[in-house]
Amino acid sequence: MKYVLVTGGVVSGLGKGVTASSIGVVLKACGLRVTSIKIDPYLNTDAGTMSPFEHGEVFVLDDGGEVDLDLGNYERFLDIKLTRDNNITTGKIYQYVLDKERRGDYLGKTVQVVPHITDAIQEWIERVAVIPVDGKEGPADVCVIELGGTIGDIESMPFIEALGQFSYHVGPGNFCLVHVSLVPVLNVVGEQKTKPTQHSVRGLRGLGLTPNILVCRSAKVLDENVKEKLLQFCHVPAANIITLNDVTNIWHIPLLLRDQKAHEAILKILNLQGVARQPKLEEWTDRAKLCDALHDPVRIAMVGKYTGLSDSYLSVWKALLHATVACHKKLVVDWVPSTDLEDDTAKEAPDAYKAAWNLLKGADGILVPGGFGDRGVQGKILAAKYARENNVPYLGICLGMQIAVIEFARSVMNLRDANSAEFDPDTRTPCVVFMPEGSKTHMGGTMRLGSRRTYFQVTDCKAAKLYGNVSYVDERHRHRYEVNPDMVPEFESAGLAFVGKDETGKRMEIIELPAHPYFVGVQFHPEFKSRPGQPSALFLGLIAASCGQLDALLQNPSHLSKPIPGRISSNGVFLPKVYQNGHQKGHTHMPAKSLVNGNYYSNANGVHV
């Protein structure tokens, strides 16, 4: 097993996660199998109980692990399925060691940070690194490890020490350290400054780790004299100093690494030059350039209570992006704080109220993501009502589905006191109830988590068609409350269709309004399994409905989920290849069109749809 460790210096938020993911993409493109581990030095056992404002979204894995959002980046970039053990936290390590101590595994020894904590970290890495995550048998070739936080953080010290020992343990040729640092430009002098990176590298070396590759985050490409200064003071070869300058979209990051031959430097350090090929990133290149070339917008109103921090809904935003690129549209997300839609805001902050409603009414589609607690719920209900009454495409995820059910009960069925037991435990009409197996005393890891199977009850529904007319789907869940099964007959009689249920038939998983252009709610989180080249079916449906492509998509749902062949012209315009009767006709300079079940479709500005 070969290991690539990615650390960060100077400041947090430099993009270590994207860098680690991109390194994995390039190595995978070289023909190597790649797995990933994220180390988070916080004391929490996992990310499940952390506020999105604190740490961004909680990403959910197939096995129910509630993990750091960077694991979502790994899964999306590398198209792999990780486990909860691929996210190491200080809490997990200490719990593991203390459990061993209670069992007497240390035979009466004094349990200390060194060697017991540091040994446990190394054992965990070696154990998890060999777990296959790409659907193939046997361990991966390379494990990319990201150390969260910044070099010098006190909580990271046990991990730094353990990784220093680990580098000696695995030996030369099996360990590569990539240090991500900042090269800022001071506006006063206008030159790139290397001193922060110099100090960061010096601190890293003082802790027993020497970087093999230096990745410099900067607004622009590093000047040659800046590279020479870094070479001189950081003792890293010039070929191993990589610039990651600001780009138009993150899909360019693996291409930047490839263009600067970062893969050659890593392969040389890991003694893999003889087994790896030149990276094949044609599809990745086309997607990155296509994303830049799109100009025809589709506006999606994201109605939630964490809109002040976009990382709170990172996977939702990425799933929307995957779908819009597949539809050849430019994504515009209007973040709408749900509280601003409520009547109280109209009295207290009329300008915010008016702005929120203007965004909602100006959107091509509306999405209400998951969440917890009663703050902003009334605003979400109003958003669902507006979408239902005005035939605006709507997708409700988890809580977004539950509030759609509540709104339907109040507005259509005249059950004015309909509510969720989460918001009003004493409600006389509980449309949404607490799951019987849930815990009301412990928060962490007690929800219905991970991959669960949903069975379609009917085949003639939008959701089933979007999934390719399969009989069931496996999607990831994270919830404590569910639609009250006792009320389902009443809802169905009123026109709300429950088209997807669990294996018992008692848990409602997918709702639809058959007469609506696109009104879908799901109890699961489809965003967690969306991929750049394989967008989530339901997100694809939302975007297609929002830009007038849904009918064509439902006729051939596999069409837009496949890579679209073509090339980028010299002036940056994407020129797709046109297919007719199964035969490639070559690149076209006519308004871009595509064949969908015998009919061509194009939008007003010629973007391929």
Side-chain angles (χ1 to χ4, degrees):
M1 177 64 69
K2 308 287 185 176
Y3 299 91
V4 177
L5 172 64
V6 179
T7 60
V10 184
V11 294
S12 60
L14 285 178
K16 294 189 304 297
V18 174
T19 302
S21 302
S22 299
I23 289 171
V25 167
V26 177
L27 294 178
K28 185 177 179 180
C30 291
L32 300 172
R33 294 175 61 196
V34 181
T35 185
S36 296
I37 293 175
K38 172 69 188 295
I39 297 174
D40 284 303
Y42 48 69
L43 275 170
N44 303 63
T45 301
D46 58 34
T49 58
M50 298 172 70
S51 164
F53 284 128
E54 286 281 329
H55 209 66
E57 76 168 5
V58 177
F59 191 81
V60 179
L61 302 171
D62 267 4
D63 66 359
E66 297 173 285
V67 296
D68 183 80
L69 59 82
D70 279 321
L71 275 79
N73 277 327
Y74 304 158
E75 286 205 343
R76 284 187 290 269
F77 270 55
L78 298 172
D79 193 20
I80 55 179
K81 292 184 179 180
L82 299 171
T83 71
R84 66 179 74 227
D85 287 344
N86 288 83
N87 192 191
I88 304 174
T89 69
T90 299
K92 285 182 180 178
I93 295 296
Y94 273 78
Q95 188 175 54
Y96 172 74
V97 170
L98 290 173
D99 286 345
K100 290 184 69 175
E101 186 273 333
R102 289 291 84 186
R103 291 196 304 267
D105 292 358
Y106 295 115
L107 301 177
K109 292 182 179 179
T110 302
V111 180
Q112 298 175 293
V113 173
V114 181
H116 300 101
I117 294 295
T118 52
D119 284 352
I121 293 168
Q122 295 176 70
E123 291 167 9
W124 195 299
I125 291 172
E126 288 191 296
R127 173 174 58 83
V128 174
V130 298
I131 298 174
V133 295
D134 56 2
K136 301 176 182 177
E137 294 184 359
D141 301 306
V142 180
C143 178
V144 180
I145 306 167
E146 178 194 348
L147 175 61
T150 305
I151 294 301
D153 293 346
I154 191 168
E155 61 264 29
S156 300
M157 291 305 177
F159 292 101
I160 294 288
E161 175 62 28
L163 290 164
Q165 296 176 16
F166 189 69
S167 66
Y168 288 103
H169 169 65
V170 298
N174 294 312
F175 189 88
C176 174
L177 174 53
V178 178
H179 187 59
V180 183
S181 187
L182 177 68
V183 179
V185 175
L186 299 181
N187 292 333
V188 178
V189 292
E191 67 173 312
Q192 295 170 326
K193 291 294 186 180
T194 65
K195 195 64 71 176
T197 296
Q198 292 180 39
H199 284 293
S200 179
V201 171
R202 185 179 298 124
L204 186 62
R205 295 164 79 105
L207 294 170
L209 286 169
T210 301
N212 303 108
I213 295 174
L214 201 55
V215 173
C216 300
R217 284 285 291 112
S218 183
K220 297 180 179 179
V221 177
L222 291 187
D223 299 331
E224 285 303 315
N225 66 311
V226 173
K227 279 193 173 185
E228 291 176 6
K229 188 177 290 187
L230 289 171
L231 181 155
Q232 182 178 4
F233 289 100
C234 298
H235 306 159
V236 176
N240 292 11
I241 299 175
I242 309 297
T243 302
L244 286 189
N245 51 282
D246 293 348
V247 291
T248 50
N249 67 73
I250 62 170
W251 294 335
H252 283 288
I253 301 299
L255 307 180
L256 284 179
L257 294 175
R258 177 203 60 188
D259 294 344
Q260 297 174 76
K261 302 187 185 305
H263 59 287
E264 293 184 4
I266 295 172
L267 294 174
K268 182 179 180 180
I269 294 165
L270 297 178
N271 293 331
L272 288 172
Q273 291 168 302
V275 298
R277 64 181 185 226
Q278 285 300 307
K280 295 182 178 180
L281 289 167
E282 290 80 7
E283 183 181 326
W284 202 271
T285 302
D286 290 344
R287 187 181 300 117
K289 291 182 178 179
L290 170 60
C291 187
D292 290 341
L294 299 176
H295 301 291
D296 191 20
V298 57
R299 306 190 75 91
I300 301 297
M302 182 96 78
V303 183
K305 67 176 184 177
Y306 304 118
T307 53
L309 180 66
S310 59
D311 273 2
S312 300
Y313 302 113
L314 183 62
S315 290
V316 175
W317 187 83
K318 294 297 183 184
L320 286 171
L321 179 64
H322 301 160
T324 49
V325 171
C327 291
H328 283 206
K329 297 289 182 179
K330 182 179 178 64
L331 175 63
V332 179
V333 174
D334 291 322
W335 302 93
V336 182
S338 55
T339 51
D340 288 356
L341 297 171
E342 298 174 354
D343 293 340
D344 288 345
T345 304
K347 302 173 185 176
E348 299 169 1
D351 290 343
Y353 176 82
K354 183 179 179 181
W357 275 102
N358 285 341
L359 288 176
L360 191 74
K361 292 178 179 180
D364 300 308
I366 296 172
L367 192 152
V368 177
F372 298 93
D374 60 357
R375 184 173 67 86
V377 164
Q378 184 58 32
K380 296 175 184 178
I381 290 175
L382 291 170
K385 181 177 182 179
Y386 177 82
R388 181 182 57 79
E389 293 181 340
N390 293 275
N391 287 332
V392 178
Y394 175 89
L395 177 61
I397 298 172
C398 197
L399 178 61
M401 168 182 144
Q402 295 173 6
I403 64 102
V405 170
I406 296 170
E407 189 280 323
F408 188 87
R410 292 179 181 179
S411 302
V412 178
M413 301 168 63
N414 291 317
L415 300 173
R416 300 300 179 187
D417 58 350
N419 212 333
S420 167
E422 179 180 6
F423 315 135
D424 181 7
D426 300 321
T427 179
R428 290 179 296 175
T429 312
C431 298
V432 179
V433 296
F434 192 80
M435 292 188 303
E437 72 271 32
S439 171
K440 294 187 177 181
T441 57
H442 288 70
M443 300 292 287
T446 58
M447 289 184 277
R448 185 170 179 245
L449 293 164
S451 182
R452 308 285 178 133
R453 184 156 291 180
T454 294
Y455 292 88
F456 288 106
Q457 306 301 299
V458 293
T459 56
D460 188 26
C461 65
K462 295 182 180 70
K465 291 178 181 178
L466 287 167
Y467 276 106
N469 296 311
V470 295
S471 58
Y472 63 84
V473 292
D474 295 315
E475 294 282 9
R476 299 176 183 178
H477 293 67
R478 185 176 185 250
H479 65 108
R480 284 192 179 88
Y481 291 82
E482 61 187 353
V483 174
N484 187 348
D486 295 335
M487 292 188 66
V488 168
E490 296 178 59
F491 282 116
E492 291 181 327
S493 297
L496 185 63
F498 292 87
V499 300
K501 301 180 181 180
D502 75 343
E503 67 279 1
T504 67
K506 295 181 179 180
R507 285 206 161 111
M508 304 304 114
E509 295 283 2
I510 307 174
I511 64 167
E512 282 189 20
L513 286 177
H516 193 282
Y518 190 82
F519 194 98
V520 176
V522 291
Q523 187 59 72
F524 48 79
H525 290 264
E527 68 270 23
F528 291 141
K529 295 179 74 171
S530 183
R531 302 288 182 266
Q534 302 167 359
S536 164
L538 299 177
F539 279 85
L540 199 55
L542 174 67
I543 298 300
S546 300
C547 58
Q549 299 179 25
L550 183 60
D551 289 342
L553 178 61
L554 292 178
Q555 293 177 40
N556 189 356
S558 64
H559 172 71
L560 289 177
S561 63
K562 295 179 180 178
I564 299 163
R567 65 180 177 86
I568 305 297
S569 69
S570 58
N571 62 352
V573 176
F574 181 74
L575 302 176
K577 291 178 181 177
V578 176
Y579 288 80
Q580 187 171 17
N581 297 328
H583 298 289
Q584 183 175 308
K585 304 294 286 184
H587 298 287
T588 177
H589 292 267
M590 299 169 59
K593 303 175 181 178
S594 64
L595 185 65
V596 182
N597 276 15
N599 298 308
Y600 284 104
Y601 296 85
S602 65
N603 61 25
N605 64 359
V607 174
H608 175 71
V609 298

